[in-house]
Amino acid sequence: MKTIDLNCDMGEGFGVYTLGDDEAMLDIVSSANIACGFHAGDPLVMAKTLAAAAARGVGAGAHPSFFDLWGFGRRPILGERPDDVEKQLVYQIGALQALAHAGGQKLTHVKTHGSLGNLAHEDIELARAVARAVKSVDPDFILVVMPGLETERAGEEFGLRMAREIYADRAYADNGNLASRKLPGAVLHDADEAAERILRIVETGELVTVGGRRIPVRADTVCVHGDTAGAVAMARAVRTRLEAAGYRIRPMGAAS
């Protein structure tokens, strides 16, 4: 049977503030990327999200970011030295790993958040810093990468296991990276359209960019964001469409 993972960014609250319906999303997805305190999340939110994921058999991974609580990690922080970013990532991954260990859990993967991820996809030195950080904490971690971009190349250089990711609700620029959220149409909202698009990418092995370019891709995991309007309905539509086409939804750490 064909298998694929559905992942979602979670634990993106802070203190008394919440973002997204994590409880509903955890009933749909198979992997959770948990914020580690630099763009969202705090020890209590992190521990709660880990426990909720474990209760549903959902794989848990770290979702580290630039240190940008004010901007939710979506502002480009230029000029950061890759060595410094590497240490920030080790710090964040280690914090979530410690909470997981205390709860009898094991993390499976790491996926960079927001602007850090977008920049690393196009900057090989930053991508290498990400890969070094992941490998130094646990060489068995899966690094979530964008197919064909620098994070994938860095993951190959460092011999990491990788999950190549496509996005259900985002349009793609002609270089294969995500189109800027500032552009019209960069974020998709129609659940049925997104579900059909994902199945087409998975089945054909190619995606179509905003400029009409066709890019070959391998898809191991599909990201369904939890912080947009209609996120739960979109995630459910994607899962239903994939399962109807014969795909089994499994955590990326368990997928064969």
Side-chain angles (χ1 to χ4, degrees), residues 18 31 38-39 72 90-91 95-96 98-99 101 124 148 173 192 196 201 214 227 236 247:
T18 59
S31 293
F38 271 33
H39 75 282
F72 197 65
V90 169
Y91 179 94
L96 188 69
L99 285 167
H101 178 75
I124 187 59
D192 292 333
E196 186 59 35
I201 294 172
R214 294 181 179 274
D227 61 345
R236 188 174 292 116
Y247 287 85

Side-chain angles (χ1 to χ4, degrees), residues 7 24 32 49 54 80 87 90 95 105 132-133 154-155 165 170 174-176 182 191 207 223 244 246-247 255:
N7 78 77
T49 309
E80 285 272 36
K87 294 177 180 63
V90 169
Q105 292 173 252
R132 279 195 305 270
E165 177 182 49
R170 295 295 303 278
D174 285 345
N175 67 352
K182 297 177 182 178
L207 60 83
C223 177
Y247 287 85

Side-chain angles (χ1 to χ4, degrees), residues 130-189:
V130 171
R132 279 195 305 270
V134 171
K135 187 168 185 175
S136 68
V137 176
D138 189 335
D140 289 331
F141 278 155
I142 297 168
L143 176 62
V144 181
V145 302
M146 291 277 280
L149 299 184
E150 302 295 356
T151 43
E152 183 181 38
R153 296 186 183 97
E156 289 172 346
E157 280 186 32
F158 284 84
L160 292 169
R161 299 164 64 200
M162 289 181 286
R164 292 158 180 87
E165 177 182 49
I166 56 174
Y167 285 76
D169 63 346
R170 295 295 303 278
Y172 285 82
D174 285 345
N175 67 352
N177 204 350
L178 298 179
S180 170
R181 286 178 177 267
K182 297 177 182 178
L183 298 176
V187 180
L188 310 181
H189 300 286

Side-chain angles (χ1 to χ4, degrees), residues 32-66:
N33 320 308
I34 301 174
C36 302
F38 271 33
H39 75 282
D42 61 41
L44 301 185
V45 171
M46 292 158 70
K48 178 182 178 181
T49 309
L50 282 164
R56 292 167 174 82
V58 172
H63 195 38
S65 167
F66 281 134

